[in-house]
Amino acid sequence: DRTANISGDLYLDCSGFSAILIDGVCKRPWKSVENILPTNNAVAIRKKYTNPQKECHPYTGSTTMDSGWMWTIPTYDDLAYGYVYSDKYIDKDDAEKELRTKINEWNAPAKHVPFRTGQRDRIAFKNVYAVGLSAGFLEPLEATNLSFTVHAIDNLFNALNITNGIYNEDVSLLLSKKFRMAVD
């Protein structure tokens, strides 16, 4: 049994895509941005270096593909590749084949990751505050999500500082408005 009675004044939902509190308990609706950002899947493959001195560089590469874009991230041990695409334009098997062809890697396992882009209509509701993936998601490299997360935590800290640690419905409404303005 995973249920427990926990008492608190403020709950931070950091449960990722599961959004256990903000979705499961508070039932805050998801606002899709698929109309402006139609990607909803990624396939990732790791490949060993053939020449680490040439292939390892201190930046993430981005390359256009037939139905989306590809990232290339050099790590200490290998290269991480990922193809972000929409299943409206290509199915997962064809996307994997296109990525494998592009990087010439046929043996490494592929990881398929479906996702949805958007945000909760409110990330602060009553005494629940959603942070990170439970609040919203835009892209698999998560640079924007890291920024949103830092911004959300900063807003919460400032609100608690201004109100001497009091968190109530007024603070919740203010924080939700600030977040919507930040991402709109």
Side-chain angles (χ1 to χ4, degrees):
D1 184 20
R2 293 183 55 182
T3 60
N5 290 327
I6 300 172
S7 178
D9 296 328
L10 173 62
Y11 299 92
L12 298 181
D13 187 342
C14 304
S15 60
F17 287 126
S18 298
I20 294 168
L21 297 176
I22 201 71
D23 185 27
V25 175
C26 298
K27 306 291 185 210
R28 297 314 309 169
W30 182 263
K31 291 174 60 179
S32 175
V33 294
E34 187 178 352
N35 60 324
I36 57 174
L37 190 58
T39 55
N40 63 4
N41 280 277
V43 56
I45 298 173
R46 300 185 83 86
K47 179 179 178 180
K48 292 293 180 192
Y49 287 113
T50 55
N51 183 346
Q53 284 73 29
K54 183 178 178 185
E55 297 167 314
C56 187
H57 42 75
Y59 57 87
T60 297
S62 179
T63 306
T64 59
M65 300 286 276
D66 289 347
S67 298
W69 61 277
M70 177 183 77
W71 75 74
T72 306
I73 303 174
T75 67
Y76 186 78
D77 294 320
D78 55 20
L79 291 160
Y81 292 97
Y83 183 5
V84 180
Y85 64 94
S86 170
D87 62 9
K88 290 181 181 176
Y89 306 107
I90 190 171
D91 69 33
K92 73 181 215 168
D93 294 331
D94 288 338
E96 180 179 332
K97 182 179 177 185
E98 185 180 348
L99 177 59
R100 287 187 182 282
T101 301
K102 181 78 171 176
I103 67 172
N104 193 28
E105 174 57 58
W106 303 98
N107 298 318
K111 181 175 183 179
H112 292 268
V113 183
F115 60 87
R116 59 186 183 158
T117 56
Q119 68 184 51
R120 299 276 162 210
D121 72 328
R122 290 180 58 188
I123 68 163
F125 184 72
K126 297 187 178 178
N127 65 338
V128 173
Y129 191 67
V131 178
L133 297 175
S134 59
F137 180 78
L138 289 181
E139 48 87 19
L141 288 181
E142 295 193 48
T144 50
N145 273 57
L146 291 173
S147 177
F148 290 158
T149 299
V150 169
H151 192 70
I153 292 168
D154 188 49
N155 283 343
L156 178 61
F157 174 79
N158 289 332
L160 291 173
N161 192 34
I162 291 168
T163 62
N164 293 318
I166 304 298
Y167 188 90
N168 58 30
E169 188 70 18
D170 293 335
V171 175
S172 172
L173 286 169
L174 174 68
L175 288 169
S176 278
K177 287 178 185 174
K178 284 186 98 169
F179 183 78
R180 278 197 303 268
M181 289 182 350
V183 296
D184 285 345

